[in-house]
Amino acid sequence: MEQLRQEYMEIKVLIDAAEATSTRKIKEEEKRVNTKFDNIYQILLKKKSEIQALKEEVELALTKGDEFEFLEKGIKLQGVSTKPVYVPKVELNQELIKSVSQGTSDLKDELKRYIRQAQDKKPEEPTGSGNPGEHGPASTPKPTHFAKKFPKEEKRPKKPSPASASATKMPTFGAPEELLELKQSSLESVGKATTAQLNAAALKAKVLETFLAKSRPELLEYAVKFSLDYNTAHNKVALSENYSVASVADSPLNYQPHPKRFVYCSQVLGLHCYKKGIHYWEVELQKSHFCGVGVCYGSMPRQGPESRLGRNSASWCVEWFNTKISAWHNNVEKTLPSTKATRVGVLLNCDHGFVLFFAVADRVHLMYKFKVDFTEALYPAFWVFSAGAMLSICSYK
């Protein structure tokens, strides 16, 4: 079982690596096109400013009371020409996208085909005379491909004694030698399981250590972009700027009832959830008093005091309560050192079971880490309480 687990773990790592490579190619193509569009946008902005300045001069000339001054200004304006802006054609590399998509689809189909073939093969069962104590030639399994590696031993027919025949038909495990063998076998199984657990724990610790040493540019390689989920927002949480900013509303917003909506705490979740992979996002805090940033399961309560971030077993967060900063999980508080940073980075590693909170300034500084074997998909989660408190999901252009 341990060998199988290791094999499948390697398969998963290979698939994750293939996914990361494909995603990187698409992101690079997206970045290339976005950069071109940004350049075009800047050119158009500059042209717009020129036309706006010319428009203002025309309107100013129309206000002149002196006819000669108006005509003089009009002649000057006639000499000003506005050339059309050349906008180059910008297109995605459809061949690249098609190639990446087709490669992923082919890999999926190949895996399905192989798994289906493996399931269709019925294992050959040994046949016998029906007596479990007798093992004649008919019960000998057919040689497999492993038999080619080892020479077949010649079997000499032996005449079983009455004692051995009875022992074969009715096996007992009362003899000291057999008890010793069973005990040794059990100890070996426990030892293997313990070794596997130690190896898995060592791997997780190594991965965690690696991420703690990463710089901000390295963390941004795992950056994700998401919007806030309108259906989860409490009636006192106002969403703005294309659902990327959460703030405290002056009066209740009378949102439509929804089973996912928070009705007790002024909280909101991200629209997307993450069950596997590594994901990073940053949040800008404006007036960082009485607000919180964290992650939670979709099954987190929506009503009552236990629905507050960190006050249940389904959420983990870092919270600003006036001037105090704390980490919360399962209603247990851990007070943290204060920081002047107004930006928080969250690194969620679903595969190796940890979530890290960083204070982001010129460099990133670890605020707190939670090590958890996550059992559900996780959502970005936010709490805003005091007037003026505002959280913004950062973009990474």
Side-chain angles (χ1 to χ4, degrees):
M1 285 175 68
E2 174 59 19
Q3 187 176 0
L4 281 174
R5 196 185 70 82
Q6 292 290 345
E7 293 287 355
Y8 278 107
M9 185 179 289
E10 287 187 29
I11 292 170
K12 289 174 186 175
V13 168
L14 289 171
I15 292 174
D16 287 343
E19 180 187 5
T21 302
S22 299
T23 305
R24 177 178 54 78
K25 288 179 181 178
I26 299 297
K27 283 185 176 180
E28 286 175 354
E29 179 61 14
E30 181 187 34
K31 183 179 179 181
R32 180 187 70 82
V33 173
N34 278 340
T35 302
K36 285 194 174 184
F37 275 124
D38 286 341
N39 292 337
I40 293 170
Y41 179 68
Q42 293 302 324
I43 292 169
L44 291 174
L45 274 183
K46 185 179 178 183
K47 195 65 183 177
K48 180 187 174 185
S49 299
E50 291 177 6
I51 294 172
Q52 184 67 31
L54 182 59
K55 178 174 177 267
E56 291 173 359
E57 287 190 31
V58 171
E59 291 174 345
L60 182 62
L62 291 172
T63 62
K64 299 292 183 183
D66 190 307
E67 292 178 359
F68 291 104
E69 190 176 354
F70 168 74
L71 291 171
E72 185 181 358
K73 188 72 174 176
I75 291 169
K76 285 184 179 178
L77 288 173
Q78 278 184 330
V80 179
S81 64
T82 56
K83 296 179 180 178
V85 177
Y86 168 70
V87 179
K89 193 174 182 180
V90 181
E91 290 183 346
L92 284 166
N93 186 345
Q94 297 295 341
E95 288 299 321
L96 171 68
I97 295 171
K98 184 178 178 181
S99 171
V100 172
S101 177
Q102 188 62 46
T104 304
S105 180
D106 290 345
L107 175 60
K108 181 184 71 174
D109 292 341
E110 189 67 20
L111 280 172
K112 282 184 177 179
R113 185 185 64 79
Y114 185 82
I115 291 170
R116 198 178 296 116
Q117 281 183 351
Q119 290 173 344
D120 290 343
K121 289 181 181 177
K122 292 183 179 180
E124 296 178 357
E125 296 181 358
T127 57
S129 61
N131 190 337
E134 296 177 1
H135 300 281
S139 66
T140 306
K142 294 181 180 179
T144 64
H145 64 282
F146 293 107
K148 297 176 183 177
K149 298 182 180 179
F150 304 101
K152 191 174 181 181
E153 293 182 2
E154 294 182 3
K155 294 184 178 179
R156 296 181 181 177
K158 290 184 180 180
K159 195 171 183 179
S161 64
S164 63
S166 61
T168 306
K169 291 182 180 180
M170 187 64 73
T172 60
F173 300 99
E177 294 83 358
E178 291 167 338
L179 286 172
L180 184 62
E181 287 178 6
L182 282 173
K183 186 177 180 181
Q184 187 175 354
S185 176
S186 300
L187 288 172
E188 286 176 359
S189 300
V190 171
K192 286 180 181 178
T194 305
T195 303
Q197 291 173 353
L198 290 173
N199 290 341
L203 175 62
K204 287 184 178 181
K206 186 65 177 176
V207 173
L208 175 59
E209 184 182 340
T210 302
F211 275 91
L212 289 175
K214 286 185 181 292
S215 63
R216 182 168 177 260
E218 289 174 318
L219 292 174
L220 286 174
E221 292 178 7
Y222 302 94
V224 292
K225 187 178 180 182
F226 59 86
S227 303
L228 299 172
D229 187 358
Y230 164 85
N231 290 324
T232 64
H234 184 271
N235 278 329
K236 289 285 286 181
V237 178
L239 304 180
S240 57
E241 296 192 27
N242 203 21
Y243 300 100
S244 66
V245 175
S247 57
V248 178
D250 296 329
S251 58
L253 298 171
N254 297 321
Y255 290 138
Q256 292 293 324
H258 195 280
K260 293 182 179 179
R261 193 174 304 286
F262 289 100
V263 297
Y264 185 87
C265 297
S266 50
Q267 298 175 155
V268 63
L269 303 185
L271 186 60
H272 301 295
C273 64
Y274 306 104
K275 191 165 187 178
K276 64 176 184 176
I278 304 164
H279 314 278
Y280 178 77
W281 60 90
E282 291 181 350
V283 184
E284 187 71 33
L285 313 180
Q286 186 171 323
K287 192 178 180 182
S288 54
H289 303 293
F290 300 101
C291 60
V293 177
V295 296
C296 73
Y297 293 150
S299 60
M300 188 175 90
R302 299 299 202 261
Q303 302 181 24
E306 68 275 11
S307 66
R308 186 166 161 189
L309 272 179
R311 272 55 171 192
N312 50 67
S313 61
S315 60
W316 301 258
C317 76
V318 170
E319 179 183 278
W320 282 255
F321 196 88
N322 204 0
T323 57
K324 184 174 73 168
I325 305 176
S326 305
W328 283 89
H329 171 60
N330 207 15
N331 210 25
V332 176
E333 180 184 17
K334 172 70 176 179
T335 305
L336 306 179
S338 60
T339 175
K340 293 182 179 179
T342 59
R343 181 173 288 206
V344 182
V346 183
L347 187 285
L348 172 63
N349 190 322
C350 303
D351 298 336
H352 299 96
F354 59 82
V355 58
L356 310 177
F357 293 89
F358 296 98
V360 181
D362 296 333
R363 299 175 63 185
V364 292
H365 302 277
L366 180 69
M367 298 178 69
Y368 199 73
K369 62 179 181 289
F370 291 101
K371 293 187 284 186
V372 189
D373 288 327
F374 299 116
T375 56
E376 296 180 36
L378 291 146
Y379 291 81
F382 310 93
W383 173 66
V384 284
F385 183 75
S386 65
M390 182 184 293
L391 300 176
S392 306
I393 312 301
C394 300
S395 58
Y396 312 101
K397 285 188 177 181

